């Protein structure tokens, strides 16, 4: 596969994930407020109580997609090993950190209100664990791309 083919596939993945996110976050909002007006059901109540967190999560997820799209553009320009990609991976790691902070705050609010359940807590702790791995991968990719960029610069100077 050449660079352009990889770029097209990655852009298709970004587009698909963006649509899935829109369906998920938009669907959760619609379900909570429009399609389920019965205010005694548990899921709509949970969604309404956590709507701010749901949309903060959406903003963080779309920010990650934005930075990944910038990486894909650099790949398409045959400039995979660039300082721009180093910055984009670091920005994705910052977004992952914000996600973790958001969920720790959410857990603390649940604990203060006394509304936390084992399923909610387990699910949020699992998301935090997954994003810790995500942050580690982003930082590792940032270091790897930076190292490759430095080697590329050295090679260009010797030629």
């Amino acid at each position: 596969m050449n660079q352009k083919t990889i770029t097209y596939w990655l852009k298709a993945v970004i587009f698909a994930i963006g649509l899935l996110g829109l369906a998920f976050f938009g669907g959760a909002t619609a379900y909570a407020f429009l399609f389920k007006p019965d205010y005694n059901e548990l899921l709509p109540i949970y969604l309404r109580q956590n709507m701010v967190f749901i949309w903060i999560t959406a903003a963080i997820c779309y920010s990650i997609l934005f930075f990944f799209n910038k990486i894909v553009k650099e790949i398409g320009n045959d400039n995979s090993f660039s300082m721009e990609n180093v910055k984009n991976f670091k920005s994705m790691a910052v977004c992952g950190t914000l996600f973790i902070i958001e969920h720790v705050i959410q857990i603390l609010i649940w604990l203060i209100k006394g509304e936390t359940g084992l399923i909610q807590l387990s699910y949020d702790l699992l998301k935090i664990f997954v994003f810790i791995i995500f942050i580690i991968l982003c930082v590792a990719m940032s270091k790897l791309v930076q190292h490759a960029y430095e080697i590329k610069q050295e090679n260009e100077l010797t030629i």
Side-chain angles (χ1 to χ4, degrees):
M1 258 192 230
N2 62 20
Q3 296 290 102
K4 293 294 180 187
T5 306
I6 292 170
T7 302
Y8 291 133
W9 278 105
L10 289 173
K11 285 186 180 192
V13 168
I14 291 168
F15 183 74
I17 291 172
L19 286 178
L20 282 171
L22 185 62
F24 177 78
F25 295 115
T29 303
Y31 186 79
F33 294 108
L34 301 176
F35 300 124
K36 284 291 189 180
D38 182 2
Y39 287 85
N40 295 321
E41 291 185 32
L42 284 176
L43 185 58
I45 291 170
Y46 172 81
L47 290 173
R48 280 189 291 278
Q49 289 174 344
N50 293 290
M51 195 54 60
V52 170
F53 290 111
I54 290 169
W55 281 101
I56 290 172
T57 299
I60 292 169
C61 290
Y62 281 107
S63 296
I64 290 169
L65 278 179
F66 171 77
F67 291 117
F68 186 65
N69 187 52
K70 289 175 76 172
I71 291 169
V72 170
K73 284 181 184 176
E74 290 295 317
I75 292 170
N77 294 334
D78 200 22
N79 194 24
S80 301
F81 304 122
S82 65
M83 287 309 289
E84 183 68 27
N85 279 350
V86 170
K87 292 175 191 172
N88 290 327
F89 277 117
K90 287 180 180 178
S91 296
M92 290 170 63
V94 168
C95 289
T97 304
L98 292 174
F99 181 89
I100 290 172
I101 291 168
E102 173 202 3
H103 281 75
V104 167
I105 291 170
Q106 186 177 27
I107 290 170
L108 290 174
I109 289 172
W110 286 343
L111 291 172
I112 291 168
K113 288 173 131 182
E115 295 178 356
T116 188
L118 183 59
I119 294 173
Q120 289 173 320
L121 187 60
S122 300
Y123 185 61
D124 264 27
L125 290 175
L126 177 64
K127 288 189 289 186
I128 288 171
F129 177 73
V130 167
F131 266 82
I132 288 171
I133 293 170
F134 174 78
I135 292 167
I136 291 168
L137 290 174
C138 286
V139 170
M141 286 300 296
S142 172
K143 295 291 183 187
L144 181 68
V145 170
Q146 183 174 1
H147 185 67
Y149 172 77
E150 290 167 359
I151 291 172
K152 183 175 111 176
Q153 292 299 102
E154 288 175 13
N155 287 340
E156 288 177 1
L157 290 174
T158 57
I159 292 177

